[in-house]
Amino acid sequence: MPRITVDGEIIEVPDGRTILQALDDVGLLMNGVDIPHYCWHPKLSIDGSCRLCQVEVEGIPKLQIACNTSVQEGMAIRTDTERVRKAREGVMELLLVNHPLDCPICDQAGECKLQDYAYEYGVEASRTREPRRALKKNVDLGSTIKFDQERCILCRRCVRFCSEIPGTGELRVFNRGDASVIDVHPDFPLENDYSMNVADICPVGALTTQDFRFKIRVWFLEDAPGICTGCSNGCNVHIGVANNKVYRYVPRRNDDVNDTWICDSGRMSYKQIGGGARLKEAGVRGEAGRLENTGYEAAVREAAKRLRSMIEEHGADSVVVLASAHATNEDLFTLRRLSDGLGAGADGVAVVQGKSDALLIKADKAANAAGARALGFGPAGPVLDRIRDGRAKAAIVLGHDLLDESHLGGTEALEGLDLLIVLDVQQSALHKVADVVIPVRHAAEKYGTLTNHAGRVQRVEPAVEPAWEAWSDGEVLTLMGQALGLEGFEDGYDPAKISEWMSERVSAFAGVHLRVVGDQGRPLPGERA
Amino acid sequence: MLKVPYVTGYLSEHFGDDGFGTLSGYEARGGYRGLRQALDTSPEDLIELLKSSGLQGRGGAGFSAGMKWSFMPTDSDRPKYLVCNADESEPGSFKDRILLERAPHQIVEGILIAAWATGAEKTFIYIRGEYAFPADQVDRAVAEARERGYLGAKVMGKDFAHEIVVTRGAGAYICGEETGLLESLEGKKGLPRKKPPFPAQYGAFGMPTTVNNVETFSHVPHIVCKGADWFRGFGTEKSPGTTLFGVSGQVQRPGLFELPLGTPLDEIIFEHAAGLLEDRPVKGVIPGGMSMPILPANQLDVPMANEFLRERKTMLGTGGIMVMDDTTCMVRVACVISYFFRDESCGQCTQCREGTGWMNSIVERIERGAGEQSDLDILLDVAGKMEGQTICAFSDAAAWPIQGLLRHFREDFEAHIRGKKCPFPGSFEL
């Protein structure tokens, strides 16, 4: 570990890294040591072209770019001298020579590095009298991204992203000199599973997403840490919230999970949180065969009451339990205890499979498939068999993934059940045949943990509150357990306590629970993740 | 017959002789003796010979050729390459063109000696796309050398293999910058590479590579045949040897003149180039290709070698001397130069991409009569910001000539601003 001196402070940094990389590794870059930069990005190759990150290195007459200068034992760097300040000012002035300065109508304003650095390191007024470059505006590069060529400062992060991360290479620099522009080739639009990341890494308002642009000014947004629930990779996200509404996901850096990226379908999955497909009303099927709104808690109690009479009539063996891989570890630990406490005939979890790739996208299309399995929920097959062959009379079902073609493919097989209790976030065809329907919370609305495909346990917390009554699955199941008089439900549902209890009771989770996983997650014992 | 006037030295002695371009003609005049001699010398001794000769690269930067060769790794089992930079594109320079046309075997011989000295197994000759005729001459010379056994698995029967590949550029000035050239050679856009790594570690196709100019290679056979002391008999102590000065502009006898480094600029202009047309007075002279700062009429006594030119805040560059008489509008000169650099900047680095365009816009506005006094400070300030802060030297090369013009001919600029029009006769299309 070489020691370098930055502005007089001695810092120990990893070997074989450049100055920016090393400072980023130890968490000091722009967080104690300010070296502004545009073209450099921690997860892309070094470009060395914006020239903003120049610093003084003792013993070298010329200023050096911090992104491409390797650290060496005893190296002394200055980031705060007059020369460095003049160099930054020079770069900022030249970057602004052709920039349209249209911040008032630019959607990037507020999270624009050109704006930020111009305030911090720039000159006060423009000295140019020449007209600014007139280039393409409002260009659709593909179905996800809008491009404003005039705002582009040619840092080429987006070009390197497309070449290096998805490997699709749609974006290129065309022409040269001050005629250089970024564009796509004719008939080869920007279409890949990760295309929207270019908007995140674009330091200016040149690339914006069709989805988010002009929805809200970013300074009205508050960022809540969250986990994408689109698949079992568990990509870390910032959930952008205003007025209790989610406006977007942007990737939150986690070098062990998703670096600084997220796939497009995961990014768009925020729409499930507040979308029109949410299940909002608890219901109990009455004599007339219609679901009736009896109030939330009453529906939960009714579910428990009907379950008790089924068990009295047909025995606990006639009950089956199907977990949801969308629920948290704490929800599922509660379900595990309920299932065991009842002595249910079978339990399992239905996980929908989909496409996967070598980058982030995983085949399990649920955030907590690994958690469900670690809590002993096996394949859904044995549960579904009991439903099909009539051995099962009652079922407790979380979510509606069993309706997928790979499982039941519809509700027909469920019509033979005497009692179907459904806890779900979304509306589905299940509610046509369910006897009790209880809306529950999305992962972005509750405390808990999710276990990703590699066994990393990651925390979720409420970013928004549902505008209707909805509890977390664990809370509903706890009330049912109490109503059924089962042991271990007396203390109610406190996710942190339940989590800690789980880590004591379930060896797979030994020592790993909500209060200790932090904002970057923690691998289960024995997992490399 | 060569049509441009020339003064002969060892490089150009046989330029007038059409047979010199062929293998037999070259050998009849002593060609390839240097290679034969070099193959009996150890690579280490050859590099030492080059170092002690003091040969400076003739491509513009003037770096010691022997030092450059010594940077090639000797402990690497990766293939090593040489590149002959024949992408001569500097406005005002045409020496390499004549060397390629008239003496291609002199280059091939120099390359083979360098290959032996550095352990390179292949050389790429990268020729400017517009140089069709010179490229044909090189193609022919390479084919002749191969047929004669000077290229291939056993060069001159020795246990030494070498191949030469001739490639053609596609018309960008920046591909003359050594790492821009390497990118272009690899089939990519000619964007200079950030350094480190340097070409000696990571060059053409990622292999250790040395890039030398056409003229640099041409000197090598002579140094090997006649020795370092002989070579140092020409030129100055710090800048030994001759070089090919290409003189253009408003002179009586524009042409290529091989003269010792250190020859005074006024001797070149008034003796060799026979003075100015109509005996008009000199206004300014660009001493070494367009990217080198201009010298005013009262500084023509300067000896043409870097150690003296640096004192006058300019450099030898490629030795392309452009002479301008007293009718020249220096703002128009600035327009031409700044437009060239605006057009040819690769566009990677902020300062260069935006600075070249901004400077060009300002000087064109001054020429149109819409300049302001503050524009001159802005020009100098922008040029200062472009200097020494970018991936390659192009940005410096774009800034220096503007600084030079303002240093010596500020009055021309101020006259435009005061009079709100160009005071010089004739029309000038922007």
Side-chain angles (χ1 to χ4, degrees):
Chain A
M1 295 276 280
R3 274 171 312 174
I4 61 172
T5 311
V6 181
D7 299 329
E9 297 257 348
I10 295 172
I11 300 170
E12 204 167 314
V13 293
D15 203 3
R17 304 284 277 166
T18 69
I19 297 170
L20 285 192
Q21 287 170 338
L23 290 171
D24 179 58
D25 289 341
V26 298
L28 285 173
L29 185 60
M30 304 316 277
N31 180 31
V33 181
D34 285 358
I35 303 179
H37 53 275
Y38 287 118
C39 66
W40 185 81
H41 184 279
K43 301 297 173 186
L44 298 174
S45 66
I46 297 170
D47 202 62
S49 64
C50 78
R51 316 306 287 183
L52 185 59
C53 69
Q54 296 185 92
V55 294
E56 269 183 49
V57 179
E58 206 175 272
I60 304 179
K62 279 187 182 180
L63 294 177
Q64 299 294 305
I65 47 172
C67 64
N68 194 47
T69 305
S70 297
V71 293
Q72 272 157 12
E73 175 64 38
M75 180 185 250
I77 300 156
R78 295 222 72 100
T79 72
D80 57 356
T81 64
E82 183 64 12
R83 261 174 88 206
V84 171
R85 197 184 63 75
K86 291 295 274 186
R88 286 175 185 167
E89 252 180 41
V91 174
M92 288 312 303
E93 179 174 34
L94 287 162
L95 281 174
L96 292 170
V97 164
N98 276 298
H99 189 80
L101 298 175
D102 58 345
C103 309
I105 55 157
C106 176
D107 208 41
Q108 188 83 359
E111 54 181 359
C112 173
K113 290 287 173 208
L114 194 63
Q115 204 177 39
D116 294 351
Y117 292 168
Y119 278 117
E120 201 149 347
Y121 310 108
V123 289
E124 268 180 27
S126 169
R127 296 190 291 171
T128 50
R129 298 210 286 121
E130 335 302 325
R132 282 146 202 274
R133 264 195 306 256
L135 297 169
K136 288 199 237 172
K137 309 286 278 184
N138 200 18
V139 179
D140 289 321
L141 290 182
S143 56
T144 60
I145 294 290
K146 275 276 189 203
F147 182 38
D148 185 313
Q149 243 172 14
E150 291 182 348
R151 291 177 187 152
C152 174
I153 58 166
L154 289 160
C155 72
R156 309 191 300 176
R157 280 180 173 187
C158 56
V159 175
R160 280 173 286 142
F161 174 82
C162 290
S163 302
E164 295 168 16
I165 306 300
T168 44
E170 295 98 334
L171 296 175
R172 288 279 182 266
V173 180
F174 293 80
N175 307 325
R176 69 183 178 210
D178 66 352
S180 299
V181 288
I182 286 177
D183 212 333
V184 289
H185 293 276
D187 301 324
F188 186 29
L190 174 61
E191 295 291 350
N192 64 63
D193 291 338
Y194 298 87
S195 65
M196 291 158 92
N197 288 287
V198 298
D200 302 330
I201 58 177
C202 180
V204 297
L207 297 168
T208 50
T209 65
Q210 301 273 18
D211 180 61
F212 177 70
R213 69 198 310 258
F214 302 136
K215 293 278 161 61
I216 189 170
R217 280 299 195 180
V218 293
W219 50 82
F220 294 120
L221 286 183
E222 282 190 52
D223 275 343
I227 302 294
C228 173
T229 53
C231 79
S232 62
N233 199 59
C235 292
N236 292 204
V237 293
H238 291 291
I239 306 178
V241 179
N243 302 321
N244 200 36
K245 181 181 166 189
V246 176
Y247 281 86
R248 66 173 180 184
Y249 281 171
V250 290
R252 178 165 57 95
R253 183 171 175 181
N254 187 329
D255 292 352
D256 292 310
V257 179
N258 54 307
D259 286 342
T260 53
W261 319 125
I262 188 172
C263 77
D264 286 355
S265 73
R267 183 189 301 261
M268 297 309 289
S269 69
Y270 81 88
K271 296 202 165 193
Q272 293 166 3
I273 300 171
R278 283 295 293 271
L279 178 62
K280 296 179 181 174
E281 269 187 20
V284 175
R285 200 164 297 279
E287 300 288 330
R290 280 206 310 273
L291 279 179
E292 286 161 21
N293 185 0
T294 57
Y296 197 92
E297 193 176 328
V300 178
R301 291 190 185 282
E302 179 65 17
K305 190 177 135 200
R306 293 192 187 187
L307 191 61
R308 180 195 291 275
S309 59
M310 289 303 295
I311 291 168
E312 281 166 1
E313 194 174 333
H314 302 288
D317 200 34
S318 69
V319 179
V320 291
V321 171
L322 202 61
S324 165
H326 302 282
T328 63
N329 291 314
E330 292 69 22
D331 291 329
L332 295 179
F333 176 61
T334 308
L335 183 67
R336 159 58 50 224
R337 288 185 295 110
L338 187 77
S339 179
D340 291 351
L342 289 171
D347 60 36
V349 61
V351 183
V352 175
Q353 302 292 302
K355 82 176 230 182
S356 63
D357 66 17
L359 196 53
L360 298 177
I361 300 170
K362 298 293 180 289
D364 285 348
K365 295 300 162 199
N368 201 27
R373 289 173 192 136
L375 285 160
F377 293 100
V383 176
L384 302 181
D385 286 346
R386 279 175 179 258
I387 294 174
R388 287 195 195 95
D389 65 20
R391 273 182 292 165
K393 303 290 181 207
I396 304 169
V397 174
L398 274 54
H400 56 269
D401 283 355
L402 80 166
L403 295 179
D404 186 69
E405 286 300 327
S406 59
H407 298 301
L408 289 180
T411 56
E412 204 178 326
L414 299 165
E415 279 159 20
L417 289 169
D418 292 339
L419 175 63
L420 175 60
I421 299 166
V422 174
L423 281 62
D424 206 350
V425 178
Q426 308 282 346
Q427 297 170 20
S428 81
L430 271 189
H431 315 321
K432 293 198 187 73
V433 291
D435 298 289
V436 183
V437 176
I438 299 163
V440 288
R441 292 184 170 222
H442 185 275
E445 295 163 342
K446 60 187 172 185
Y447 286 101
T449 60
L450 300 167
T451 309
N452 84 345
H453 72 104
R456 174 171 288 267
V457 178
Q458 307 193 96
R459 191 177 68 198
V460 291
E461 58 187 61
V464 284
E465 272 294 308
W468 53 92
E469 188 163 20
W471 303 356
S472 63
D473 306 66
E475 207 171 354
V476 172
L477 296 167
T478 299
L479 181 59
M480 282 174 65
Q482 287 171 353
L484 288 162
L486 299 176
E487 272 178 43
F489 294 90
E490 303 82 358
D491 293 340
Y493 182 79
D494 174 340
K497 281 186 188 153
I498 296 290
S499 195
E500 199 166 349
W501 188 20
M502 175 179 72
S503 75
E504 290 159 6
R505 275 265 305 264
V506 183
S507 62
F509 283 86
V512 181
H513 59 87
L514 182 58
R515 268 200 280 259
V516 301
V517 294
D519 60 5
Q520 296 277 291
R522 187 189 276 203
L524 289 175
E527 297 283 357
R528 284 183 301 112
Chain B
M1 273 297 287
L2 186 62
K3 301 253 171 36
V4 287
Y6 56 95
V7 172
T8 56
Y10 52 87
L11 290 177
S12 56
E13 190 181 349
H14 304 292
F15 273 11
D17 182 347
D18 280 340
F20 192 61
T22 66
L23 180 61
S24 56
Y26 182 67
E27 289 199 299
R29 289 159 189 80
Y32 287 108
R33 271 192 312 158
L35 174 60
R36 207 168 293 278
Q37 212 169 311
L39 294 177
D40 288 330
T41 312
S42 74
E44 297 75 25
D45 288 350
L46 270 180
I47 289 175
E48 275 316 303
L49 172 69
L50 249 282
K51 280 187 187 165
S52 60
S53 77
L55 173 64
Q56 296 170 338
R58 297 290 199 255
F63 190 74
S64 157
M67 285 291 283
K68 207 171 190 179
W69 291 8
S70 72
F71 293 153
M72 284 285 259
T74 50
D75 53 353
S76 164
D77 51 3
R78 294 184 301 158
K80 288 181 268 185
Y81 298 139
L82 294 179
V83 171
C84 174
N85 187 345
D87 190 48
E88 182 176 58
S89 322
E90 180 76 20
S93 303
F94 45 89
K95 65 184 179 70
D96 294 343
R97 171 180 171 180
I98 307 295
L99 285 165
L100 294 160
E101 288 180 2
R102 308 303 299 184
H105 280 288
Q106 188 169 258
I107 303 164
V108 171
E109 187 182 2
I111 285 171
L112 283 163
I113 295 168
W116 171 249
T118 56
E121 64 172 51
K122 191 175 278 183
T123 297
F124 301 93
I125 305 182
Y126 184 98
I127 305 184
R128 177 179 176 182
E130 291 89 336
Y131 278 11
F133 180 68
D136 290 345
Q137 305 315 304
V138 174
D139 275 336
R140 184 181 41 73
V142 167
E144 285 174 340
R146 187 177 296 119
E147 195 167 321
R148 188 60 178 269
Y150 294 172
L151 287 170
K154 287 197 177 296
V155 173
M156 284 189 170
K158 302 272 179 181
D159 193 16
F160 165 54
H162 197 74
E163 226 4 285
I164 292 180
V165 178
V166 180
T167 62
R168 307 273 303 271
Y173 174 80
I174 196 61
C175 295
E177 195 275 347
E178 67 174 6
T179 57
L181 186 157
L182 294 174
E183 289 286 298
S184 173
L185 178 66
E186 294 179 6
K188 303 179 212 151
K189 200 170 172 179
L191 304 177
R193 297 175 180 172
K194 60 190 183 301
K195 286 135 257 191
F198 292 92
Q201 283 86 48
Y202 189 93
F205 305 98
M207 300 303 160
T209 302
T210 295
V211 184
N212 279 141
N213 167 258
V214 165
E215 187 193 328
T216 313
F217 281 121
S218 302
H219 284 280
V220 170
H222 301 280
I223 294 169
V224 171
C225 280
K226 298 166 204 157
D229 288 344
W230 166 84
F231 185 75
R232 284 187 168 279
F234 301 94
T236 69
E237 196 198 330
K238 286 185 176 154
S239 303
T242 63
T243 197
L244 294 165
F245 291 104
V247 184
S248 60
Q250 289 139 321
V251 290
Q252 305 265 11
R253 206 167 74 111
L256 193 66
F257 306 97
E258 182 179 353
L259 295 164
L261 286 167
T263 304
L265 182 54
D266 48 9
E267 182 192 319
I268 299 173
I269 296 170
F270 293 103
E271 286 182 31
H272 303 295
L276 274 70
L277 293 168
E278 300 168 23
D279 285 327
R280 299 198 70 88
V282 169
K283 182 166 183 177
V285 178
I286 295 175
M290 209 171 71
S291 53
M292 293 301 138
I294 195 165
L295 288 169
N298 64 4
Q299 295 197 23
L300 303 185
D301 58 324
V302 65
M304 289 292 283
N306 272 332
E307 64 268 34
F308 303 105
L309 285 160
R310 276 204 196 94
E311 291 173 8
R312 316 282 176 104
K313 298 195 168 171
T314 187
M315 274 172 74
L316 183 65
T318 54
I321 296 167
M322 289 186 270
V323 183
M324 293 167 244
D325 71 18
D326 62 341
T327 63
T328 310
C329 168
M330 288 300 172
V331 178
R332 291 177 185 177
V333 172
C335 288
V336 171
I337 294 177
S338 62
Y339 176 77
F340 177 82
F341 286 110
R342 175 183 208 161
D343 192 44
E344 294 289 350
S345 166
C346 85
Q348 281 188 99
C349 301
T350 305
Q351 291 93 329
C352 183
R353 179 182 67 242
E354 305 296 341
T356 52
W358 193 9
M359 286 200 308
N360 176 241
S361 302
I362 294 173
V363 294
E364 288 191 350
R365 184 156 48 76
I366 294 172
E367 171 63 16
R368 282 200 307 272
E372 290 178 15
Q373 193 61 33
S374 62
D375 285 332
L376 303 185
D377 297 332
I378 294 174
L379 274 178
L380 285 176
D381 187 54
V382 174
K385 285 171 173 164
M386 292 170 65
E387 232 183 320
Q389 294 194 10
T390 48
I391 289 176
C392 79
F394 181 103
S395 188
D396 305 79
W400 289 340
I402 299 298
Q403 291 171 333
L405 287 165
L406 278 166
R407 185 155 57 235
H408 300 302
F409 301 101
R410 196 177 174 104
E411 176 47 36
D412 272 15
F413 289 81
E414 287 177 343
H416 282 72
I417 293 165
R418 273 197 313 273
K420 299 197 187 301
K421 66 180 176 60
C422 177
F424 287 83
S427 64
F428 178 73
E429 205 165 309
L430 285 167

